[in-house]
Amino acid sequence: MLRCGGSWKLTVLPMLVLIVILIFSAIMDIVADQSEVRLVWLKNLGGRGVGVCWSPDGDRLVVTGDFGIAVFNSRGTTLWVRTEGGDSPSISPDGRYLAVANVGYSIRVYSLSDGAKVWEGSVSGATAVRWGSDGAFLAVSITRNYLLVRYGDLALYKWVGNEGIQVWRVEVARNEIRAIDFHPRGHVIALGSLDTVSYTHLTLPTN
């Protein structure tokens, strides 16, 4: 019996030690991960934020919401604020323009440097906007209601000078579209609606 008891201890004790070591190691990993996370800066915007995006150079941060539009530098300094709300900010690849969508006023394009309004679209109900990878096109999702049913349209604008010229507009979803994005090569737009995710292939005009 004594030999059995000793054998049991020699088998179980190393296993217990190993379990304790593994648990301690996991706890230390969690603590280490948490120690690497720190708050850089915090802003009270006085309203609900719904959209955010960085400029291509990483030195401008745009936040949109029911409070309006706010632009900060990477250190948290406020550069400019506008009171018009927005849901879907997108900065042009060259970092010059900020496009914002809003169901109330369609789309607006601002100068990222000072917030001056450059252009405003004429179609109401915009829910999302996105610049193409080369900055030559803007994709805009538009919500329209017909007989108590919501439909999602996709419109393509060509950016010429300081204005957007609509190239086409088509119905692409039987629900509201909440997010859109160009493929890096610019030939496909991905759509995220309230009930599905789909991909729309398109041919961009060359002139």
Side-chain angles (χ1 to χ4, degrees):
M1 296 295 294
L2 292 175
R3 290 180 180 179
C4 292
S7 177
W8 175 83
K9 292 179 180 179
L10 290 176
T11 304
V12 174
L13 287 178
M15 294 181 61
L16 292 176
V17 172
L18 178 60
I19 293 173
V20 171
I21 292 174
L22 292 175
I23 294 175
F24 179 77
S25 177
I27 293 175
M28 293 304 295
D29 288 342
I30 294 174
V31 172
D33 291 341
Q34 290 178 344
S35 65
E36 295 175 359
V37 179
R38 63 186 181 91
L39 180 64
V40 178
W41 50 268
L42 178 66
K43 294 287 183 179
N44 184 358
L45 301 175
R48 182 175 59 97
V50 294
V52 61
C53 69
W54 286 98
S55 61
D57 62 4
D59 194 47
R60 298 288 187 274
L61 177 65
V62 177
V63 182
T64 61
D66 53 15
F67 61 88
I69 305 168
V71 178
F72 309 94
N73 64 18
S74 58
R75 297 173 297 280
T77 303
T78 303
L79 302 179
W80 55 266
V81 176
R82 294 190 66 111
T83 57
E84 303 96 339
D87 297 330
S88 174
S90 180
I91 298 176
S92 61
D94 60 9
R96 296 178 58 194
Y97 302 108
L98 167 66
V100 178
N102 185 285
V103 294
Y105 59 66
S106 186
I107 51 175
R108 286 177 178 169
V109 175
Y110 303 91
S111 167
L112 185 61
S113 61
D114 58 10
K117 186 171 70 173
V118 177
W119 174 74
E120 181 173 355
S122 59
V123 180
S124 62
T127 55
V129 61
R130 190 68 57 199
W131 289 95
S133 58
D134 60 359
F137 294 94
L138 272 171
V140 182
S141 62
I142 303 166
T143 296
R144 56 186 173 86
N145 298 318
Y146 180 72
L147 297 178
L148 301 180
V149 178
R150 283 188 169 183
Y151 294 88
D153 291 355
L154 178 65
L156 185 72
Y157 289 80
K158 186 173 183 179
W159 188 250
V160 180
N162 285 333
E163 66 174 328
I165 300 175
Q166 184 172 305
V167 179
W168 48 254
R169 174 175 172 173
V170 294
E171 179 186 312
V172 292
R174 292 295 178 94
N175 211 322
E176 181 178 341
I177 301 171
R178 297 303 302 170
I180 56 176
D181 200 9
F182 277 93
H183 187 277
R185 290 199 297 268
H187 66 297
V188 176
I189 297 180
L191 311 172
S193 69
L194 294 181
D195 58 357
T196 186
V197 175
S198 60
Y199 298 89
T200 298
H201 292 259
L202 58 101
T203 300
L204 302 181
T206 58
N207 51 40

